[in-house]
Amino acid sequence: MTPLDLAGYLIAGLMTAVALWRMPAALWGDEEDKRRRALWGCYAGFAVALWTKTRAVRIGLNNSAVTDLAVLIKHYTATIAILAILSYIVAIYGRYPDADGVPRHVRFARLVQQIAAKASVATLILLTVLFFTVVDRSVPSDRFVSDHAGQWGATLYMSVFYLYLGAASAVCAYQWALATADARLRHLRVGLGMMTFAMFIGVGYTVSRTLFLWVSVVDRPSEDFALRFDEITEAAQLVLFAFFAVGASIPAFSKGAHRAKLWRAQVKLHALWYELMAAFPDQPFDPPGSLARELTRFDTPADLRIDRWAADIADAVEKLRHYVPDGLLPAAARAAAEDTRDPRRTGPLTDAYWIRAALAAKASGAPAGPAAAVAAQHTAEQDGETATDQDGEVARLVRVADACRTITEARVRRLLPSAGATAECAQEQGKEARTA
């Protein structure tokens, strides 16, 4: 087995893995995912085409009852995959309520897709006719282009396919180059850039092979030169598919990384959320479950579940304000300052002391009263950071949850009397100020 054959198996396996990975979202996802069925069809079509190019599969098919069958199957599946990717390009632009407001490149993509849909049918029919009539298939081939170099029938057959493939590659390169320039997210820009580069390779691949075949009709090359040219362009095509598969997967990998981040956040937040929900059992929509149960609730997306937990925690903290004295927050801040000198940890640790002490006060039977006047400061960032979005708020809560796990019951028991003394001291100072 040559290195090129081995690379063929690896790229075919890579494209198959991408197709299998994206299949559930394409077939059973929501409306946004269903729009990606066309992209998944491209993955699946190219995966089949790549497997027909691997040594074992192509030799087996080419030596079957239909000589060179691997070539015909490869071109069938590749044609369908190309139509799928053109359909996806049109689908991602969505709908425009005003027909006059459709950008020029979108109108161009829609026109190309409409032409490609009709051209694909004509291409498949023409390929089939040429394959069974003018292509010399008297001897099974291993490398179709090099083995048929100089033959006008095979040259005509391949030219039809390369015209369709090259035109589609050029359209994709143009559309994705525009999308790359407009992309604001780095991972999206990198992925689109890789896919654009792959399509430029595709254009060069089809042009070079088409020229080689027609020149070979006029001046037949040597077998060694033809085989060498076939191997070089074949290697370029494998590079094309590698860039395409990886580039198309980068945005999805980014989403997967975000989901993994949310999953880790759930693991870290569960103990704090569960403890607060146990203190106020009427607050959550559903009774809080164990960590394993919550992580396997597939009826709710992870980002929505995290939003719900953050809201539950905020509501529970607001209710706890009615069970603590005004001096709890200063006492919690002093306790945090005793534990760490790192200003980035002081804020979360202060929040953690306040929550643990407030829970202990409620559990001990403290009566509900007016909301602590200074407890509202507890919900704000105290370490110089601002939680302006979900990620920032979740990161803050995770730091608070981590700090809660470091606080012992003994520290909490000492904190509450200190908070009460602080409150009494503040009241005395207030009276003295009013007397003066």
Side-chain angles (χ1 to χ4, degrees):
M1 181 182 297
T2 65
L4 185 60
D5 291 329
L6 179 59
Y9 284 108
L10 292 177
I11 299 301
L14 174 63
M15 189 63 72
T16 303
V18 173
L20 293 175
W21 172 40
R22 301 299 296 272
M23 182 172 65
L27 298 183
W28 302 299
D30 55 22
E31 286 300 321
E32 183 179 356
D33 288 326
K34 288 178 181 178
R35 287 169 46 196
R36 295 183 172 84
R37 286 182 178 177
L39 184 58
W40 172 77
C42 177
Y43 296 144
F46 279 134
V48 175
L50 285 168
W51 280 112
T52 62
K53 292 163 66 71
T54 58
R55 180 175 178 80
V57 176
R58 75 171 183 265
I59 290 177
L61 290 175
N62 288 344
N63 289 275
S64 65
V66 180
T67 306
D68 290 345
L69 180 59
V71 177
L72 190 61
I73 294 176
K74 175 180 65 178
H75 293 159
Y76 277 176
T77 54
T79 300
I80 295 173
I82 293 167
L83 179 61
I85 195 63
L86 291 175
S87 301
Y88 174 73
I89 290 176
V90 172
I92 61 175
Y93 289 127
R95 299 178 180 271
Y96 289 85
D98 185 5
D100 296 331
V102 181
R104 183 171 58 183
H105 68 280
V106 177
R107 293 198 302 270
F108 174 72
R110 290 177 177 178
L111 177 62
V112 169
Q113 195 273 335
Q114 292 172 1
I115 296 174
K118 300 176 182 178
S120 61
V121 177
T123 299
L124 291 173
I125 294 174
L126 188 55
L127 287 176
T128 304
V129 172
L130 293 175
F131 182 82
F132 287 104
T133 57
V134 300
V135 176
D136 182 6
R137 298 185 297 111
S138 57
V139 178
S141 63
D142 182 33
R143 296 287 182 180
F144 187 83
V145 170
S146 60
D147 292 345
H148 292 81
Q151 299 177 11
W152 71 269
T155 299
L156 180 60
Y157 169 84
M158 292 302 299
S159 296
V160 171
F161 175 72
Y162 286 150
L163 176 63
Y164 184 85
L165 176 62
S169 298
V171 170
C172 290
Y174 168 71
Q175 296 289 340
W176 289 337
L178 292 177
T180 302
D182 294 337
R184 296 182 180 181
L185 299 177
R186 184 175 62 178
H187 68 271
L188 186 59
R189 187 166 57 250
V190 171
L192 286 170
M194 294 179 70
M195 294 168 69
T196 303
F197 179 68
M199 292 302 102
F200 277 117
I201 295 177
V203 173
Y205 170 84
T206 56
V207 171
S208 63
R209 282 206 159 196
T210 302
L211 289 175
F212 168 79
L213 286 168
W214 282 108
V215 170
S216 298
V217 173
V218 179
D219 183 12
R220 190 181 185 95
S222 65
E223 292 183 3
D224 291 340
F225 178 82
L227 181 60
R228 184 62 177 167
F229 177 83
D230 185 275
E231 291 176 345
I232 292 174
T233 52
E234 190 71 19
Q237 191 185 52
L238 292 178
V239 173
L240 179 162
F241 281 112
F243 272 90
F244 176 76
V246 175
S249 301
I250 285 178
F253 274 126
S254 177
K255 290 184 179 180
H258 181 66
R259 290 174 182 173
K261 182 179 179 180
L262 291 176
W263 185 84
R264 291 194 299 270
Q266 290 179 74
V267 173
K268 293 184 177 182
L269 284 179
H270 179 266
L272 174 61
W273 173 77
Y274 188 92
E275 188 174 10
L276 288 170
M277 294 306 97
F280 300 99
D282 295 334
Q283 179 174 314
F285 291 108
D286 299 313
S290 64
L291 177 59
R293 177 69 184 92
E294 293 295 334
L295 292 180
T296 53
R297 290 183 187 271
F298 299 114
D299 56 334
T300 305
D303 55 344
L304 295 182
R305 189 180 302 117
I306 283 291
D307 278 343
R308 189 195 73 191
W309 287 13
D312 286 343
I313 291 173
D315 291 343
V317 167
E318 183 66 22
K319 292 178 181 179
L320 285 175
R321 292 177 58 191
H322 295 273
Y323 296 89
V324 298
D326 288 348
L328 178 58
L329 186 62
R334 287 195 303 272
E338 293 174 1
D339 289 353
T340 180
R341 295 182 179 179
D342 186 350
R344 293 174 299 180
R345 295 185 56 200
T346 302
L349 193 56
T350 299
D351 291 346
Y353 268 117
W354 191 97
I355 292 173
R356 292 295 304 278
L359 284 170
K362 182 180 184 302
S364 65
V374 295
Q377 300 177 21
H378 157 76
T379 61
E381 280 292 328
Q382 301 175 20
D383 55 359
E385 299 181 10
T386 303
T388 58
D389 55 13
Q390 184 197 55
D391 290 341
E393 177 62 15
V394 170
R396 184 188 76 83
L397 290 177
V398 165
R399 291 193 295 271
V400 173
D402 289 339
C404 280
R405 286 191 285 270
T406 66
I407 299 175
T408 63
E409 292 295 333
R411 291 282 289 165
V412 173
R413 286 195 297 269
R414 290 197 300 269
L415 184 63
L416 284 173
S418 174
T422 301
E424 292 174 2
C425 181
Q427 292 175 356
E428 291 297 330
Q429 290 177 353
K431 290 178 182 180
E432 292 176 0
R434 286 192 297 270
T435 301

